[in-house]
Amino acid sequence: MSSLALYDTLTRTSRPFTPIKAGQVSVYLCGATVQGSPHIGHIRSGLNFDILNRWLTKSGYEVTFIRNVTDIDDKILQKAVTEKAPWWAVAMKYEREFSDAYAAVNVLPPTYEPRATGHITQMIQLMSILIERGAAYAPGNGDIYLSVRSLDSYLTLSRQKLDDLLSADDAAGSFKKDPRDFALWKGAKPGEPSWPTPWGDGRPGWHLECSAMAHAYLGEAFDIHGGGLDLIFPHHENEIAQSEAAGYAFANIWMHNAWVTTAGEKMSKSLGNSLLVKELLKQVRGIELRWYLGSAHYRSMLEFSAEALNESATGFRRIESFLFRAVEILGTQATPSLSQGFIDAMNDDLAVPTALATISESLRIGNSAITAGDMKAIATSANEIRGALEVLGCDPFDSAFAGATTSAESGALDGVIQLALAQRTAARDRKDFAASDEIRDGLAALGITIEDTPQGPRWSISRTEER
RNA sequence: GGUGCGAUGGCCGAGAGGCGAGGCACAGGACUGCAAAUCCUGCUACACGGGUUCAAAUCCCGUUCGCACCUCCA
Protein backbone atom coordinates (compact mmCIF):
# COMPACT_ATOMS: atom_id res chain seq x y z
CA MET A 1 0.00 0.00 0.00
CA SER A 2 1.52 3.24 -1.12
CA SER A 3 0.99 6.41 0.80
CA LEU A 4 0.14 9.88 -0.39
CA ALA A 5 2.86 12.27 -1.48
CA LEU A 6 2.07 15.79 -2.61
CA TYR A 7 4.12 18.37 -4.44
CA ASP A 8 4.77 21.42 -2.30
CA THR A 9 5.41 24.68 -4.11
CA LEU A 10 7.36 25.96 -1.11
CA THR A 11 10.00 23.24 -1.27
CA ARG A 12 9.51 22.51 -4.98
CA THR A 13 9.52 18.83 -4.18
CA SER A 14 7.02 16.07 -3.77
CA ARG A 15 6.98 14.85 -0.20
CA PRO A 16 5.02 12.42 1.96
CA PHE A 17 1.83 13.90 3.28
CA THR A 18 1.37 13.88 7.04
CA PRO A 19 -1.57 15.80 8.42
CA ILE A 20 -1.15 18.01 11.46
CA LYS A 21 -3.92 16.11 13.25
CA ALA A 22 -4.00 12.39 12.61
CA GLY A 23 -6.90 11.37 10.43
CA GLN A 24 -7.94 14.92 9.62
CA VAL A 25 -7.01 17.23 6.79
CA SER A 26 -7.70 20.94 6.57
CA VAL A 27 -7.67 22.56 3.15
CA TYR A 28 -8.04 26.18 2.17
CA LEU A 29 -8.58 26.91 -1.51
CA CYS A 30 -8.60 30.39 -2.95
CA GLY A 31 -11.88 30.45 -4.78
CA ALA A 32 -13.40 32.96 -7.09
CA THR A 33 -13.31 36.70 -7.08
CA VAL A 34 -16.84 37.04 -8.37
CA GLN A 35 -16.30 39.71 -10.95
CA GLY A 36 -17.45 37.89 -14.09
CA SER A 37 -18.75 34.64 -15.51
CA PRO A 38 -16.63 31.59 -14.85
CA HIS A 39 -14.50 30.23 -17.68
CA ILE A 40 -13.02 26.77 -17.76
CA GLY A 41 -9.76 27.98 -16.26
CA HIS A 42 -11.51 29.05 -13.07
CA ILE A 43 -13.41 25.83 -12.91
CA ARG A 44 -10.31 23.74 -13.53
CA SER A 45 -8.90 25.00 -10.26
CA GLY A 46 -12.02 24.06 -8.33
CA LEU A 47 -12.08 20.72 -10.11
CA ASN A 48 -8.44 19.82 -9.49
CA PHE A 49 -8.86 20.48 -5.80
CA ASP A 50 -12.15 18.61 -5.82
CA ILE A 51 -10.22 15.57 -6.98
CA LEU A 52 -7.80 16.15 -4.10
CA ASN A 53 -10.74 16.45 -1.74
CA ARG A 54 -12.28 13.23 -3.01
CA TRP A 55 -8.98 11.38 -2.86
CA LEU A 56 -8.27 12.49 0.70
CA THR A 57 -11.77 11.45 1.70
CA LYS A 58 -11.42 8.12 -0.10
CA SER A 59 -8.12 7.59 1.68
CA GLY A 60 -9.96 7.77 4.97
CA TYR A 61 -9.30 11.32 6.07
CA GLU A 62 -11.91 13.59 7.51
CA VAL A 63 -11.54 16.64 5.31
CA THR A 64 -12.45 20.22 6.19
CA PHE A 65 -12.48 22.01 2.89
CA ILE A 66 -12.80 25.78 2.83
CA ARG A 67 -13.18 27.60 -0.47
CA ASN A 68 -13.73 31.32 -0.19
CA VAL A 69 -15.64 33.79 -2.29
CA THR A 70 -14.07 37.21 -2.62
CA ASP A 71 -17.09 39.39 -3.12
CA ILE A 72 -15.53 42.82 -2.84
CA ASP A 73 -12.72 44.17 -5.00
CA ASP A 74 -11.92 46.90 -7.51
CA LYS A 75 -13.21 45.02 -10.53
CA ILE A 76 -16.51 44.22 -8.90
CA LEU A 77 -16.97 47.90 -8.18
CA GLN A 78 -16.11 48.76 -11.78
CA LYS A 79 -18.51 46.13 -13.01
CA ALA A 80 -21.24 47.60 -10.86
CA VAL A 81 -20.78 50.85 -12.73
CA THR A 82 -20.90 49.29 -16.20
CA GLU A 83 -23.79 47.01 -15.32
CA LYS A 84 -25.64 49.81 -13.56
CA ALA A 85 -26.36 47.59 -10.57
CA PRO A 86 -25.34 47.65 -6.91
CA TRP A 87 -21.94 46.03 -6.32
CA TRP A 88 -23.52 43.40 -4.05
CA ALA A 89 -26.00 42.41 -6.76
CA VAL A 90 -23.13 42.00 -9.22
CA ALA A 91 -21.15 39.88 -6.78
CA MET A 92 -24.16 37.70 -6.00
CA LYS A 93 -24.99 37.22 -9.66
CA TYR A 94 -21.54 35.93 -10.50
CA GLU A 95 -21.29 33.93 -7.31
CA ARG A 96 -24.39 32.05 -8.45
CA GLU A 97 -22.85 31.48 -11.85
CA PHE A 98 -19.79 30.01 -10.20
CA SER A 99 -21.93 27.79 -8.01
CA ASP A 100 -23.88 26.60 -11.04
CA ALA A 101 -20.67 25.92 -12.96
CA TYR A 102 -19.16 23.96 -10.08
CA ALA A 103 -22.35 21.94 -9.76
CA ALA A 104 -22.48 21.26 -13.50
CA VAL A 105 -19.10 19.56 -13.35
CA ASN A 106 -19.87 17.85 -10.06
CA VAL A 107 -17.46 19.75 -7.83
CA LEU A 108 -18.56 18.90 -4.32
CA PRO A 109 -19.64 21.84 -2.21
CA PRO A 110 -16.92 22.84 0.25
CA THR A 111 -17.42 22.28 3.95
CA TYR A 112 -17.89 26.00 4.19
CA GLU A 113 -17.76 28.80 1.65
CA PRO A 114 -17.01 32.05 3.45
CA ARG A 115 -17.46 35.43 1.80
CA ALA A 116 -14.98 38.23 2.35
CA THR A 117 -17.64 40.78 3.27
CA GLY A 118 -18.88 38.49 6.02
CA HIS A 119 -15.51 38.56 7.77
CA ILE A 120 -14.71 42.23 8.24
CA THR A 121 -14.55 41.69 12.00
CA GLN A 122 -11.87 39.04 11.62
CA MET A 123 -9.94 41.29 9.23
CA ILE A 124 -9.99 44.19 11.67
CA GLN A 125 -8.81 41.87 14.40
CA LEU A 126 -5.94 40.65 12.24
CA MET A 127 -4.95 44.20 11.34
CA SER A 128 -4.96 45.17 15.02
CA ILE A 129 -2.52 42.39 15.77
CA LEU A 130 -0.32 43.38 12.85
CA ILE A 131 -0.25 47.04 13.83
CA GLU A 132 0.40 46.14 17.44
CA ARG A 133 3.33 43.99 16.42
CA GLY A 134 4.74 46.73 14.23
CA ALA A 135 4.22 44.83 10.98
CA ALA A 136 1.54 47.15 9.65
CA TYR A 137 0.90 50.86 9.79
CA ALA A 138 -1.89 53.35 9.21
CA PRO A 139 -0.35 56.41 7.54
CA GLY A 140 -3.45 58.50 8.08
CA ASN A 141 -5.12 58.44 4.66
CA GLY A 142 -7.42 55.59 5.66
CA ASP A 143 -5.24 52.93 4.07
CA ILE A 144 -3.41 50.33 6.11
CA TYR A 145 -0.23 48.85 4.73
CA LEU A 146 1.89 45.89 5.59
CA SER A 147 5.51 46.83 6.01
CA VAL A 148 7.38 44.21 4.03
CA ARG A 149 10.77 45.37 5.34
CA SER A 150 9.67 44.52 8.86
CA LEU A 151 9.20 40.85 8.06
CA ASP A 152 11.56 38.12 9.14
CA SER A 153 11.17 36.52 5.75
CA TYR A 154 9.26 37.34 2.62
CA LEU A 155 8.88 35.92 -0.90
CA THR A 156 9.86 32.41 0.17
CA LEU A 157 7.19 30.83 -2.00
CA SER A 158 8.12 32.60 -5.24
CA ARG A 159 11.83 32.59 -4.34
CA GLN A 160 12.38 36.17 -5.31
CA LYS A 161 14.44 38.89 -3.77
CA LEU A 162 12.59 41.96 -2.63
CA ASP A 163 15.01 44.32 -4.32
CA ASP A 164 14.76 42.51 -7.65
CA LEU A 165 11.06 43.16 -7.99
CA LEU A 166 9.95 45.80 -10.40
CA SER A 167 8.36 48.37 -8.16
CA ALA A 168 4.69 49.13 -8.46
CA ASP A 169 3.93 52.08 -10.66
CA ASP A 170 1.63 53.64 -8.10
CA ALA A 171 4.42 53.93 -5.57
CA ALA A 172 5.39 57.49 -6.35
CA GLY A 173 3.74 59.99 -4.06
CA SER A 174 1.85 57.38 -2.08
CA PHE A 175 1.71 57.01 1.65
CA LYS A 176 3.74 53.83 1.58
CA LYS A 177 6.95 53.67 3.55
CA ASP A 178 8.34 51.32 0.94
CA PRO A 179 7.03 50.96 -2.60
CA ARG A 180 6.67 47.18 -2.08
CA ASP A 181 4.41 47.54 0.92
CA PHE A 182 0.92 46.35 0.08
CA ALA A 183 -2.50 47.52 1.18
CA LEU A 184 -4.29 45.41 3.77
CA TRP A 185 -7.13 47.89 3.81
CA LYS A 186 -8.20 50.73 1.61
CA GLY A 187 -9.57 54.01 2.86
CA ALA A 188 -13.15 54.83 1.91
CA LYS A 189 -13.74 56.67 -1.34
CA PRO A 190 -16.92 58.55 -2.22
CA GLY A 191 -19.54 56.27 -3.76
CA GLU A 192 -17.76 53.08 -2.73
CA PRO A 193 -18.85 50.69 0.00
CA SER A 194 -17.03 50.93 3.28
CA TRP A 195 -16.99 49.51 6.77
CA PRO A 196 -15.99 51.25 9.99
CA THR A 197 -12.65 50.45 11.62
CA PRO A 198 -10.67 51.98 14.47
CA TRP A 199 -8.54 53.69 11.79
CA GLY A 200 -11.41 55.08 9.75
CA ASP A 201 -13.90 53.77 7.21
CA GLY A 202 -12.69 51.63 4.38
CA ARG A 203 -12.80 48.30 2.61
CA PRO A 204 -10.61 45.19 2.42
CA GLY A 205 -7.54 44.95 0.23
CA TRP A 206 -7.18 41.84 -1.85
CA HIS A 207 -5.08 39.58 0.33
CA LEU A 208 -6.34 40.12 3.82
CA GLU A 209 -9.56 38.13 3.53
CA CYS A 210 -7.88 34.80 2.91
CA SER A 211 -5.61 35.07 5.94
CA ALA A 212 -8.54 36.12 8.11
CA MET A 213 -10.88 33.41 6.90
CA ALA A 214 -8.31 30.62 6.90
CA HIS A 215 -7.59 31.52 10.50
CA ALA A 216 -11.28 31.70 11.37
CA TYR A 217 -12.12 28.23 10.06
CA LEU A 218 -8.88 26.28 10.08
CA GLY A 219 -6.93 27.85 12.92
CA GLU A 220 -3.37 29.11 13.12
CA ALA A 221 -1.91 26.13 11.29
CA PHE A 222 -3.51 23.97 8.65
CA ASP A 223 -2.49 21.33 6.16
CA ILE A 224 -2.98 22.42 2.58
CA HIS A 225 -3.43 25.76 0.89
CA GLY A 226 -4.30 25.72 -2.78
CA GLY A 227 -4.94 28.00 -5.70
CA GLY A 228 -3.92 28.83 -9.24
CA LEU A 229 -0.29 29.19 -10.24
CA ASP A 230 -0.76 32.90 -10.74
CA LEU A 231 -1.61 33.40 -7.10
CA ILE A 232 1.86 32.42 -5.89
CA PHE A 233 2.90 36.02 -6.19
CA PRO A 234 1.58 38.31 -4.90
CA HIS A 235 -1.50 36.81 -3.31
CA HIS A 236 -0.07 33.84 -1.49
CA GLU A 237 3.17 35.58 -0.57
CA ASN A 238 1.12 38.28 1.04
CA GLU A 239 -1.12 35.82 2.81
CA ILE A 240 2.00 34.23 4.26
CA ALA A 241 3.40 37.63 5.20
CA GLN A 242 0.23 38.70 7.00
CA SER A 243 -0.29 35.44 8.77
CA GLU A 244 3.27 34.85 9.88
CA ALA A 245 3.64 38.43 11.03
CA ALA A 246 0.58 37.81 13.19
CA GLY A 247 2.28 34.80 14.69
CA TYR A 248 0.44 32.04 12.85
CA ALA A 249 2.22 29.03 11.38
CA PHE A 250 -0.25 29.04 8.48
CA ALA A 251 -0.19 26.48 5.65
CA ASN A 252 1.91 23.35 5.77
CA ILE A 253 1.79 22.52 2.05
CA TRP A 254 1.19 24.83 -0.90
CA MET A 255 -0.41 23.35 -3.99
CA HIS A 256 -0.94 25.21 -7.24
CA ASN A 257 -2.85 24.19 -10.31
CA ALA A 258 -1.76 25.17 -13.81
CA TRP A 259 -3.89 26.99 -16.32
CA VAL A 260 -6.04 26.18 -19.23
CA THR A 261 -4.30 27.78 -22.19
CA THR A 262 -5.38 28.66 -25.70
CA ALA A 263 -2.87 28.95 -28.51
CA GLY A 264 -0.17 28.38 -25.93
CA GLU A 265 -1.24 31.35 -23.86
CA LYS A 266 -2.98 31.74 -20.57
CA MET A 267 -6.65 32.48 -20.88
CA SER A 268 -7.44 36.01 -19.98
CA LYS A 269 -10.67 37.49 -19.00
CA SER A 270 -10.81 39.58 -22.13
CA LEU A 271 -10.91 36.51 -24.33
CA GLY A 272 -14.60 36.56 -25.09
CA ASN A 273 -17.33 34.14 -24.33
CA SER A 274 -16.33 30.96 -26.10
CA LEU A 275 -14.64 29.31 -23.14
CA LEU A 276 -17.20 30.17 -20.53
CA VAL A 277 -18.47 27.12 -18.76
CA LYS A 278 -22.04 27.87 -19.71
CA GLU A 279 -21.09 27.98 -23.42
CA LEU A 280 -19.15 24.72 -23.38
CA LEU A 281 -22.00 22.99 -21.62
CA LYS A 282 -24.01 23.56 -24.78
CA GLN A 283 -21.52 21.37 -26.62
CA VAL A 284 -20.81 18.57 -24.15
CA ARG A 285 -22.37 17.27 -20.99
CA GLY A 286 -21.05 18.39 -17.63
CA ILE A 287 -19.57 14.97 -16.94
CA GLU A 288 -17.71 15.12 -20.25
CA LEU A 289 -16.40 18.61 -19.58
CA ARG A 290 -15.21 17.41 -16.21
CA TRP A 291 -13.52 14.37 -17.71
CA TYR A 292 -11.69 16.62 -20.14
CA LEU A 293 -10.61 19.26 -17.62
CA GLY A 294 -9.62 16.66 -15.08
CA SER A 295 -7.65 14.45 -17.45
CA ALA A 296 -4.44 16.48 -17.46
CA HIS A 297 -2.18 16.50 -14.45
CA TYR A 298 -3.11 19.45 -12.24
CA ARG A 299 0.37 20.94 -12.51
CA SER A 300 0.45 20.74 -16.31
CA MET A 301 -0.94 23.35 -18.62
CA LEU A 302 -4.02 22.14 -20.45
CA GLU A 303 -4.09 23.41 -24.00
CA PHE A 304 -7.73 23.80 -24.86
CA SER A 305 -9.08 22.86 -28.25
CA ALA A 306 -12.55 21.93 -29.40
CA GLU A 307 -11.10 18.83 -31.10
CA ALA A 308 -9.43 17.66 -27.91
CA LEU A 309 -12.62 18.24 -25.96
CA ASN A 310 -14.66 16.19 -28.42
CA GLU A 311 -12.04 13.47 -28.55
CA SER A 312 -11.99 13.32 -24.80
CA ALA A 313 -15.78 13.18 -24.62
CA THR A 314 -15.81 10.30 -27.11
CA GLY A 315 -13.29 8.45 -25.02
CA PHE A 316 -15.39 8.96 -21.94
CA ARG A 317 -18.52 7.63 -23.66
CA ARG A 318 -16.59 4.49 -24.44
CA ILE A 319 -15.93 3.92 -20.75
CA GLU A 320 -19.44 4.87 -19.79
CA SER A 321 -20.86 2.55 -22.41
CA PHE A 322 -18.95 -0.37 -20.92
CA LEU A 323 -20.40 0.35 -17.50
CA PHE A 324 -23.94 0.50 -18.87
CA ARG A 325 -23.46 -2.78 -20.70
CA ALA A 326 -21.92 -4.39 -17.66
CA VAL A 327 -24.92 -3.40 -15.57
CA GLU A 328 -27.27 -4.84 -18.21
CA ILE A 329 -25.37 -8.10 -18.39
CA LEU A 330 -24.79 -8.52 -14.67
CA GLY A 331 -28.24 -7.28 -13.78
CA THR A 332 -26.73 -5.45 -10.85
CA GLN A 333 -25.01 -2.16 -10.20
CA ALA A 334 -21.21 -2.09 -10.08
CA THR A 335 -19.76 -1.76 -6.59
CA PRO A 336 -16.96 0.81 -6.64
CA SER A 337 -13.53 -0.58 -5.83
CA LEU A 338 -10.00 0.57 -6.56
CA SER A 339 -7.18 -1.19 -8.35
CA GLN A 340 -3.73 -1.02 -6.83
CA GLY A 341 -2.46 0.71 -9.95
CA PHE A 342 -5.02 3.43 -9.59
CA ILE A 343 -4.27 3.89 -5.90
CA ASP A 344 -0.53 4.14 -6.53
CA ALA A 345 -1.05 6.68 -9.29
CA MET A 346 -3.31 8.90 -7.20
CA ASN A 347 -0.97 8.69 -4.24
CA ASP A 348 1.83 9.98 -6.42
CA ASP A 349 0.81 13.64 -6.30
CA LEU A 350 -2.56 12.89 -7.92
CA ALA A 351 -1.09 11.47 -11.13
CA VAL A 352 -4.41 11.38 -12.92
CA PRO A 353 -2.99 10.67 -16.41
CA THR A 354 -1.30 7.55 -15.06
CA ALA A 355 -4.50 6.66 -13.25
CA LEU A 356 -6.38 6.97 -16.53
CA ALA A 357 -4.05 4.43 -18.08
CA THR A 358 -5.19 1.94 -15.44
CA ILE A 359 -8.79 2.65 -16.40
CA SER A 360 -7.95 1.92 -20.04
CA GLU A 361 -6.46 -1.36 -18.95
CA SER A 362 -9.52 -2.32 -16.92
CA LEU A 363 -11.71 -1.31 -19.83
CA ARG A 364 -9.89 -3.54 -22.29
CA ILE A 365 -10.08 -6.47 -19.89
CA GLY A 366 -13.73 -5.76 -19.23
CA ASN A 367 -14.69 -5.57 -22.89
CA SER A 368 -12.86 -8.82 -23.58
CA ALA A 369 -14.72 -10.38 -20.67
CA ILE A 370 -18.03 -9.33 -22.19
CA THR A 371 -17.09 -11.12 -25.42
CA ALA A 372 -15.98 -14.16 -23.45
CA GLY A 373 -19.02 -14.06 -21.17
CA ASP A 374 -16.78 -14.08 -18.10
CA MET A 375 -19.14 -12.64 -15.50
CA LYS A 376 -16.58 -12.48 -12.73
CA ALA A 377 -14.09 -10.56 -14.87
CA ILE A 378 -16.84 -8.23 -16.10
CA ALA A 379 -17.76 -7.43 -12.52
CA THR A 380 -14.16 -6.85 -11.45
CA SER A 381 -13.52 -4.47 -14.31
CA ALA A 382 -16.80 -2.64 -13.84
CA ASN A 383 -16.16 -2.24 -10.13
CA GLU A 384 -12.67 -0.90 -10.65
CA ILE A 385 -13.75 1.47 -13.35
CA ARG A 386 -16.66 2.78 -11.35
CA GLY A 387 -14.46 3.20 -8.29
CA ALA A 388 -11.94 5.18 -10.33
CA LEU A 389 -14.61 7.33 -11.94
CA GLU A 390 -16.09 8.03 -8.54
CA VAL A 391 -12.78 9.43 -7.27
CA LEU A 392 -12.47 11.53 -10.41
CA GLY A 393 -16.02 12.77 -9.92
CA CYS A 394 -17.14 11.22 -13.21
CA ASP A 395 -19.34 8.36 -12.06
CA PRO A 396 -22.14 8.23 -14.62
CA PHE A 397 -24.44 6.75 -11.98
CA ASP A 398 -23.84 9.69 -9.65
CA SER A 399 -27.15 11.40 -9.02
CA ALA A 400 -25.38 14.70 -9.72
CA PHE A 401 -25.48 13.74 -13.38
CA ALA A 402 -29.02 12.44 -13.47
CA GLY A 403 -30.75 13.34 -16.71
CA ALA A 404 -33.59 15.79 -16.93
CA THR A 405 -36.04 13.36 -18.47
CA THR A 406 -38.60 11.60 -16.34
CA SER A 407 -38.80 7.85 -16.16
CA ALA A 408 -42.21 8.03 -17.84
CA GLU A 409 -40.71 9.84 -20.79
CA SER A 410 -37.70 7.59 -21.10
CA GLY A 411 -39.91 4.53 -20.69
CA ALA A 412 -42.12 5.69 -23.53
CA LEU A 413 -39.08 6.41 -25.70
CA ASP A 414 -37.63 2.98 -25.02
CA GLY A 415 -40.97 1.41 -25.89
CA VAL A 416 -41.13 3.19 -29.23
CA ILE A 417 -37.58 2.23 -30.13
CA GLN A 418 -38.15 -1.37 -29.06
CA LEU A 419 -41.09 -1.47 -31.48
CA ALA A 420 -38.87 -0.27 -34.29
CA LEU A 421 -36.16 -2.74 -33.31
CA ALA A 422 -38.66 -5.60 -33.34
CA GLN A 423 -39.58 -4.62 -36.91
CA ARG A 424 -35.92 -4.55 -37.82
CA THR A 425 -35.25 -7.94 -36.24
CA ALA A 426 -38.17 -9.40 -38.16
CA ALA A 427 -36.82 -7.95 -41.39
CA ARG A 428 -33.38 -9.35 -40.69
CA ASP A 429 -34.86 -12.77 -39.94
CA ARG A 430 -36.42 -12.86 -43.39
CA LYS A 431 -33.15 -11.49 -44.84
CA ASP A 432 -34.85 -8.31 -45.99
CA PHE A 433 -31.75 -6.22 -45.31
CA ALA A 434 -32.99 -3.25 -47.29
CA ALA A 435 -35.89 -2.91 -44.87
CA SER A 436 -33.76 -3.50 -41.76
CA ASP A 437 -31.14 -0.97 -42.85
CA GLU A 438 -33.86 1.53 -43.55
CA ILE A 439 -34.98 1.30 -39.94
CA ARG A 440 -31.43 1.58 -38.64
CA ASP A 441 -30.69 4.57 -40.87
CA GLY A 442 -33.94 6.20 -39.87
CA LEU A 443 -33.11 5.87 -36.18
CA ALA A 444 -29.57 7.08 -36.84
CA ALA A 445 -30.98 10.19 -38.48
CA LEU A 446 -32.79 10.85 -35.20
CA GLY A 447 -29.54 10.51 -33.28
CA ILE A 448 -30.10 6.96 -32.10
CA THR A 449 -27.33 4.43 -32.57
CA ILE A 450 -28.11 0.74 -32.93
CA GLU A 451 -25.63 -1.96 -31.98
CA ASP A 452 -26.22 -5.67 -32.48
CA THR A 453 -24.91 -7.68 -29.57
CA PRO A 454 -25.13 -11.37 -28.74
CA GLN A 455 -27.86 -10.37 -26.29
CA GLY A 456 -29.80 -8.68 -29.07
CA PRO A 457 -29.87 -5.15 -30.37
CA ARG A 458 -29.29 -2.25 -28.00
CA TRP A 459 -29.78 1.42 -28.59
CA SER A 460 -28.23 4.59 -27.28
CA ILE A 461 -28.48 8.26 -27.94
CA SER A 462 -25.49 9.23 -30.06
CA ARG A 463 -24.16 12.42 -28.62
CA THR A 464 -21.48 13.12 -31.16
CA GLU A 465 -22.19 16.50 -32.62
CA GLU A 466 -20.78 17.67 -35.89
CA ARG A 467 -18.07 20.30 -35.30
C1' G B 1 16.44 43.15 -15.12
C1' G B 2 14.64 39.27 -11.45
C1' U B 3 12.03 34.47 -10.59
C1' G B 4 9.92 30.09 -12.39
C1' C B 5 7.87 26.46 -15.85
C1' G B 6 8.15 23.91 -20.37
C1' A B 7 9.77 21.54 -25.51
C1' U B 8 8.24 13.70 -25.96
C1' G B 9 5.74 9.89 -32.23
C1' G B 10 0.60 12.35 -37.32
C1' C B 11 -2.05 14.52 -32.76
C1' C B 12 -2.98 14.53 -27.32
C1' G B 13 -0.37 13.13 -23.09
C1' A B 14 2.55 10.40 -18.80
C1' G B 15 7.37 9.06 -17.23
C1' A B 16 12.42 11.19 -14.73
C1' G B 17 19.35 6.77 -15.13
C1' G B 18 18.53 0.46 -17.71
C1' C B 19 12.72 -3.39 -18.62
C1' G B 20 8.15 0.11 -25.47
C1' A B 21 2.53 4.41 -19.99
C1' G B 22 -2.02 5.34 -22.07
C1' G B 23 -5.42 7.55 -25.48
C1' C B 24 -6.84 9.47 -30.39
C1' A B 25 -5.97 9.09 -35.56
C1' C B 26 -4.30 5.77 -39.35
C1' A B 27 -3.40 0.66 -41.59
C1' G B 28 -4.25 -4.69 -41.51
C1' G B 29 -7.02 -8.74 -39.24
C1' A B 30 -11.18 -11.24 -36.24
C1' C B 31 -16.53 -10.75 -35.52
C1' U B 32 -21.03 -8.96 -38.62
C1' G B 33 -25.84 -9.96 -44.09
C1' C B 34 -23.50 -4.94 -44.15
C1' A B 35 -22.52 -1.85 -40.22
C1' A B 36 -21.76 -0.34 -35.22
C1' A B 37 -19.49 -1.85 -30.87
C1' U B 38 -15.50 -4.88 -29.27
C1' C B 39 -10.89 -7.53 -29.52
C1' C B 40 -5.93 -8.63 -31.87
C1' U B 41 -1.63 -6.76 -34.71
C1' G B 42 1.23 -2.70 -36.68
C1' C B 43 2.98 2.67 -36.20
C1' U B 44 9.59 2.40 -31.44
C1' A B 45 9.34 9.29 -30.03
C1' C B 46 11.85 12.47 -26.35
C1' A B 47 14.21 20.74 -29.21
C1' C B 48 19.72 21.42 -30.36
C1' G B 49 25.18 21.01 -28.97
C1' G B 50 28.53 19.15 -25.58
C1' G B 51 29.61 16.33 -20.96
C1' U B 52 29.09 12.46 -16.83
C1' U B 53 28.02 7.04 -16.89
C1' C B 54 28.79 0.24 -18.45
C1' A B 55 23.94 2.66 -19.63
C1' A B 56 20.77 9.41 -20.57
C1' A B 57 14.21 11.20 -22.90
C1' U B 58 15.68 11.22 -17.62
C1' C B 59 21.69 13.89 -14.44
C1' C B 60 25.31 18.25 -15.55
C1' C B 61 26.86 22.59 -18.72
C1' G B 62 25.55 25.56 -22.75
C1' U B 63 22.16 27.07 -26.85
C1' U B 64 17.47 27.93 -29.31
C1' C B 65 12.37 28.51 -28.95
C1' G B 66 7.71 29.05 -26.11
C1' C B 67 4.92 30.45 -21.72
C1' A B 68 4.18 32.76 -17.07
C1' C B 69 4.75 35.96 -12.67
C1' C B 70 7.17 40.64 -10.78
C1' U B 71 1.36 44.12 -5.89
C1' C B 72 -6.15 43.32 -6.84
C1' C B 73 -5.47 36.69 -12.33
C1' A B 74 -7.64 30.25 -11.38
Side-chain angles (χ1 to χ4, degrees):
Chain A
M1 181 75 187
S2 57
S3 59
L4 180 62
L6 295 172
Y7 182 88
D8 181 10
T9 306
L10 190 64
T11 60
R12 306 282 160 89
T13 52
S14 189
R15 53 197 180 90
F17 173 69
T18 311
I20 296 168
K21 288 183 194 164
Q24 296 178 26
V25 184
S26 43
V27 183
Y28 186 92
L29 172 64
C30 285
T33 301
V34 284
Q35 58 196 13
S37 298
H39 60 58
I40 51 176
H42 297 122
I43 248 51
R44 183 186 182 195
S45 180
L47 201 157
N48 283 153
F49 285 94
D50 184 54
I51 291 173
L52 171 69
N53 188 182
R54 287 170 187 263
W55 186 240
L56 289 169
T57 303
K58 194 76 180 179
S59 303
Y61 293 110
E62 188 185 308
V63 182
T64 303
F65 192 97
I66 304 295
R67 187 187 64 210
N68 72 290
V69 173
T70 296
D71 58 348
I72 178 82
D73 92 316
D74 290 0
K75 283 186 183 164
I76 294 172
L77 298 178
Q78 287 167 21
K79 204 90 176 202
V81 174
T82 58
E83 296 193 3
K84 296 186 172 61
W87 64 273
W88 38 265
V90 171
M92 191 76 246
K93 180 175 104 176
Y94 292 121
E95 183 183 326
R96 281 202 194 91
E97 285 196 23
F98 268 86
S99 296
D100 290 347
Y102 286 132
V105 296
N106 198 20
V107 169
L108 295 172
T111 314
Y112 190 60
E113 191 167 16
R115 293 192 191 109
T117 55
H119 297 78
I120 304 293
T121 310
Q122 289 85 344
M123 294 186 210
I124 292 172
Q125 194 177 22
L126 180 55
M127 285 191 286
S128 301
I129 296 171
L130 291 172
I131 290 173
E132 200 178 301
R133 289 180 158 233
Y137 57 98
N141 65 338
D143 289 355
I144 299 188
Y145 299 112
L146 192 108
S147 173
V148 295
R149 299 279 177 190
S150 76
L151 302 168
D152 294 337
S153 66
Y154 186 47
L155 307 178
T156 51
L157 195 60
S158 58
R159 301 194 171 186
Q160 297 180 94
K161 290 196 185 88
L162 191 54
D163 294 316
D164 290 340
L165 296 182
L166 299 175
S167 51
D169 49 9
D170 70 341
S174 84
F175 288 80
K176 291 180 180 178
K177 286 184 189 167
D178 184 285
R180 280 92 175 182
D181 288 350
F182 60 91
L184 299 171
W185 190 262
K186 297 180 167 196
K189 294 188 184 66
E192 288 187 355
S194 64
W195 289 261
T197 77
W199 314 280
D201 290 359
R203 63 183 175 86
W206 178 33
H207 315 295
L208 190 64
E209 83 281 16
C210 286
S211 291
M213 296 190 287
H215 179 247
Y217 298 102
L218 302 176
E220 296 190 3
F222 56 95
D223 293 304
I224 300 170
H225 192 127
L229 211 50
D230 40 6
L231 298 183
I232 293 176
F233 186 88
H235 187 56
H236 288 163
E237 292 288 13
N238 290 350
E239 280 187 52
I240 293 171
Q242 294 156 357
S243 302
E244 290 188 349
Y248 307 151
F250 213 51
N252 206 10
I253 297 179
W254 288 87
M255 293 178 68
H256 293 93
N257 66 276
W259 303 303
V260 178
T261 57
T262 47
E265 294 182 353
K266 179 185 177 184
M267 285 174 68
S268 75
K269 285 178 179 166
S270 56
L271 206 65
N273 295 330
S274 60
L275 297 178
L276 295 180
V277 174
K278 59 188 173 189
E279 292 303 316
L280 288 170
L281 287 174
K282 293 173 183 169
Q283 294 169 39
V284 295
R285 295 176 295 154
I287 197 171
E288 292 164 352
L289 182 58
R290 182 181 173 112
W291 180 256
Y292 172 64
L293 291 176
S295 63
H297 186 94
Y298 76 91
R299 288 194 283 118
S300 297
M301 299 294 173
L302 175 63
E303 170 70 19
F304 177 85
S305 76
E307 295 73 30
L309 174 61
N310 284 329
E311 208 175 83
S312 165
T314 304
F316 179 72
R317 282 180 218 127
R318 196 165 160 257
I319 297 167
E320 191 180 40
S321 161
F322 165 73
L323 281 184
F324 290 146
R325 289 190 66 191
V327 169
E328 283 172 22
I329 293 167
L330 298 169
T332 171
Q333 186 54 269
T335 311
S337 69
L338 295 175
S339 70
Q340 193 56 48
F342 184 86
I343 292 169
D344 291 344
M346 293 303 287
N347 274 339
D348 181 15
D349 191 36
L350 309 178
V352 172
T354 308
L356 296 185
T358 70
I359 295 179
S360 292
E361 169 116 342
S362 296
L363 181 65
R364 202 189 68 244
I365 293 168
N367 277 323
S368 297
I370 286 180
T371 308
D374 181 345
M375 295 298 174
K376 199 176 165 208
I378 295 172
T380 302
S381 295
N383 294 347
E384 285 178 358
I385 290 171
R386 189 170 180 217
L389 293 186
E390 195 180 54
V391 169
L392 299 174
C394 290
D395 177 6
F397 301 109
D398 189 326
S399 59
F401 294 119
T405 52
T406 65
S407 55
E409 279 168 350
S410 55
L413 178 63
D414 183 58
V416 170
I417 294 172
Q418 292 303 340
L419 271 178
L421 290 180
Q423 296 288 313
R424 176 167 170 272
T425 303
R428 290 181 72 206
D429 287 347
R430 62 177 184 270
K431 306 244 185 277
D432 184 355
F433 297 120
S436 73
D437 288 352
E438 195 181 336
I439 292 169
R440 185 172 65 197
D441 294 345
L443 288 172
L446 297 172
I448 292 161
T449 304
I450 301 306
E451 290 165 33
D452 292 319
T453 75
Q455 294 81 30
R458 66 191 296 275
W459 67 272
S460 57
I461 309 267
S462 38
R463 296 189 177 91
T464 316
E465 323 257 308
E466 278 308 301
R467 87 150 252 122

